[in-house]
Amino acid sequence: QVELVESGGGSVLTGGSLTLSCAVKVLSDCTYDMGWYRQAPGKGRTFVAYIDKQGNTRYADFVQGRFTISEDTARNVVSLQMNNLKPEDTAMYYCKTELPLEVIRNGPPKCEQNYWGRGTQVTVSN
């Protein structure tokens, strides 16, 4: 079981910044990498950013250097710093656990389920 709680969303003007946070509570001995996704009105949920336990990161092409994902392992918080926001960044943002490669390959089965938070709304206007 994993509990994910996002915060930090809000309304900003074009060019503004926001930092989203995801409080992660893992109620087992499983370990997870983490990701951020977003869903704009009327569209599907899409990948935004990813970070693994070694600190390796990956971003969607549309990020274009504007967002930074990080993880504070001491506080169990995954953050998404978003700069130079555009109206097309308007969406509900979700954090999600990601299965580490070793779990995908070797299990255990109890750690092979991913979890989503409830999301935090980001609105960018002109």
Side-chain angles (χ1 to χ4, degrees):
Q1 286 280 358
V2 177
E3 297 175 0
L4 303 174
V5 180
E6 300 94 334
S7 61
S11 296
V12 296
L13 298 176
T14 298
S17 298
L18 284 172
T19 298
L20 307 183
S21 295
C22 175
V24 182
K25 188 174 183 180
V26 180
L27 306 174
S28 70
D29 58 354
C30 300
T31 60
Y32 299 90
D33 300 332
M34 295 298 300
W36 282 96
Y37 291 73
R38 70 185 190 185
Q39 186 167 16
K43 296 188 177 181
R45 201 168 291 189
T46 60
F47 167 76
V48 176
Y50 160 93
I51 187 167
D52 67 15
K53 289 304 180 191
Q54 289 73 44
N56 299 307
T57 59
R58 180 162 48 89
Y59 298 93
D61 289 344
F62 62 75
V63 167
Q64 297 177 328
R66 300 179 298 130
F67 298 177
T68 302
I69 187 171
S70 60
E71 183 171 12
D72 183 338
T73 55
R75 294 174 54 235
N76 295 321
V77 173
V78 179
S79 298
L80 185 68
Q81 171 70 44
M82 304 188 296
N83 299 321
N84 192 21
L85 285 162
K86 307 174 182 180
E88 52 263 43
D89 295 317
T90 294
M92 185 73 79
Y93 282 71
Y94 300 89
C95 67
K96 172 182 172 281
T97 58
E98 303 281 5
L99 298 183
L101 187 58
E102 60 267 26
V103 172
I104 295 173
R105 288 175 173 170
N106 303 315
K110 70 171 184 176
C111 298
E112 292 175 350
Q113 179 180 351
N114 277 318
Y115 299 85
W116 291 89
R118 292 181 177 271
T120 184
Q121 178 68 38
V122 172
T123 303
V124 186
S125 57
N126 290 314

